Amino acid sequence: MIPSMVWTALGAFLVINAMLLSASLLVFAERRVSAFIQNRPGPNRVGPLGLLQPFADVLKFVLKEDVQPAQSNKFIHSMAPVVMVVIAMTTAALIPFAEGVVVADLNVGVIMLLALTSISVYGVTLAGWSSNSKFSLLGGLRSAAQMVSYELSMGLAVISVVLIAGSLNFMEIVEHQNSGGALLGWNAVRNPIGCLIFIVTAFAETNRAPFDLPEAEEELVAGYHTEYSGMKFGMFFLAEYVNWFIASFFIVTLFFGGYLVPFEPQLIALFPALEGSTLLALLQFGSLMLKVGFFAFLFIWVRWTFPRFKYNQLMKVGWKYLLPISLANAILIALGVVLFGAVGL
């Protein structure tokens, strides 16, 4: 018998490499979609259909000189991008890819997710501070304020899901969405306000447009990573793409049935042999990836469609609108759970 620790290590290895490969695919997808939106060709020179362009970019990062500011804190300057990548990869361990297929099946998975997303702000903030540059420092401070502002609303949106499912375990949250039959059990149907809030805050937490104030090229050169070059800049680049890919996974997991195949109860009723089979696991994985692919496309679409918020607008949306709405939604969900439970529904 192979020890469970070996299976966990193998799963972690596969997930990490899948995330690294997905970042390359997402870079290519973003360039292609943005080119389509702007009516231009996009990458089409390196490899067939330009498919090798992301790998050429990686080679450029590896070969490019690593320059550090003379007055920077060299240790923290070097560690900041590492922190970003490690946190992004660690978060991927919480994703359930199919029934029973997850690297870390934690009973407190939701708390772990919120903890890891809270820590990620340190990578950006430390990068801005350690560079000893005013532009980088302003980018780091903006990031800290933005992430703290939107984490509150995100946490309340997640709490509303936990109240409905009665569990902090992601696998149980997904399986609970199967109870409604067809698509009616998905939390996006039962909790649409929480779903919308989570999607908006996911954009803000991953620093994607229109919430990319920590970078703001027109104002801060490149924001918190202005003084980075070579592979260190490449690590920030990698962390950003992995983060919004993982954000797509958690949007699907919490609100769109996760790995559940649409009409799965009816499908199993028609074909009882499917239950617990490898074929069902493959169908679930395919269903998950199709849903995640849609939200990954949504992240790209929004970036190339909406202009960036001003900083005062960013704070106003977070504190004046999202926070009160998410708090009221969580209270209403809690009351609904209590009332429906009292009448046996």
Side-chain angles (χ1 to χ4, degrees):
M1 291 292 289
I2 300 175
S4 60
M5 189 179 295
V6 175
W7 285 115
T8 302
L10 179 61
F13 175 79
L14 291 173
V15 168
I16 288 171
N17 282 277
M19 290 299 145
L20 291 172
L21 181 61
S22 69
S24 299
L25 294 174
L26 289 172
V27 170
F28 179 79
E30 177 144 50
R31 289 182 171 187
R32 276 293 182 186
V33 173
S34 64
F36 175 76
I37 290 172
Q38 298 171 42
N39 195 26
R40 56 185 178 81
N44 58 3
R45 293 287 187 271
V46 185
L49 303 176
L51 283 168
L52 297 180
Q53 184 64 55
F55 301 99
D57 293 339
V58 172
L59 183 63
K60 179 188 74 173
F61 286 138
V62 171
L63 297 177
K64 202 170 183 180
E65 183 182 3
D66 177 26
V67 179
Q68 276 191 321
Q71 301 301 316
S72 66
N73 186 313
K74 291 180 172 52
F75 175 74
I76 296 178
H77 189 270
S78 299
M79 286 303 297
V82 176
V83 170
M84 294 290 289
V85 172
V86 168
I87 291 172
M89 295 300 179
T90 305
T91 310
L94 302 171
I95 301 168
F97 294 98
E99 188 175 354
V101 181
V102 61
V103 175
D105 187 15
L106 303 178
N107 289 328
V108 290
V110 170
I111 295 175
M112 181 63 102
L113 171 66
L114 295 176
L116 288 171
T117 54
S118 299
I119 294 171
S120 64
V121 70
Y122 287 104
V124 175
T125 307
L126 291 175
W129 174 81
S130 64
S131 297
N132 197 30
S133 163
K134 291 183 177 63
F135 295 114
S136 300
L137 180 61
L138 283 171
L141 291 174
R142 279 185 173 188
S143 178
Q146 176 175 319
M147 287 184 168
V148 169
S149 300
Y150 284 81
E151 271 174 10
L152 295 170
S153 300
M154 175 180 274
L156 287 167
V158 174
I159 285 170
S160 66
V161 172
V162 171
L163 288 169
I164 292 172
S167 174
L168 294 167
N169 182 290
F170 283 113
M171 195 75 74
E172 292 179 10
I173 289 172
V174 172
E175 289 298 330
H176 191 268
Q177 294 177 72
N178 211 9
S179 60
L183 311 180
L184 298 179
W186 289 6
N187 288 326
V189 177
R190 297 189 288 187
N191 184 13
I193 297 174
C195 175
L196 182 61
I197 290 169
F198 189 85
I199 292 172
V200 172
T201 53
F203 276 90
E205 287 292 298
T206 53
N207 295 332
R208 293 284 298 183
F211 299 96
D212 57 339
L213 270 294
E215 298 175 26
E217 293 89 344
E218 296 86 349
E219 305 165 34
L220 304 177
V221 185
Y224 62 90
H225 55 64
T226 297
E227 303 297 339
Y228 282 87
S229 62
M231 200 55 210
K232 289 178 184 171
F233 173 80
M235 292 173 78
F236 277 117
F237 198 67
L238 170 66
E240 178 184 335
Y241 278 81
V242 171
N243 276 330
W244 63 263
F245 191 49
I246 290 172
S248 301
F249 271 104
F250 283 111
I251 290 170
V252 171
T253 298
L254 291 170
F255 294 97
F256 291 89
Y259 55 75
L260 296 176
V261 179
F263 305 100
E264 186 173 312
Q266 290 82 351
L267 189 65
I268 292 174
L270 284 174
F271 306 100
L274 271 179
E275 191 165 7
S277 66
T278 304
L279 178 58
L280 180 61
L282 291 173
L283 287 173
Q284 289 176 338
F285 180 73
S287 172
L288 175 68
M289 295 311 298
L290 284 173
K291 296 174 193 174
V292 169
F294 169 77
F295 282 101
F297 169 74
L298 182 66
F299 271 85
I300 300 171
W301 188 9
V302 168
R303 176 180 178 179
W304 296 99
T305 304
F306 293 100
R308 178 184 297 128
F309 283 119
K310 294 191 295 183
Y311 191 68
N312 63 316
Q313 292 173 329
L314 180 89
M315 291 291 106
K316 185 177 181 180
V317 168
W319 290 101
K320 191 173 180 180
Y321 297 108
L322 285 184
L323 183 59
I325 293 171
S326 58
L327 183 60
N329 181 63
I331 292 171
L332 288 173
I333 292 290
L335 289 172
V337 168
V338 171
L339 291 174
F340 281 109
V343 296
L345 294 177

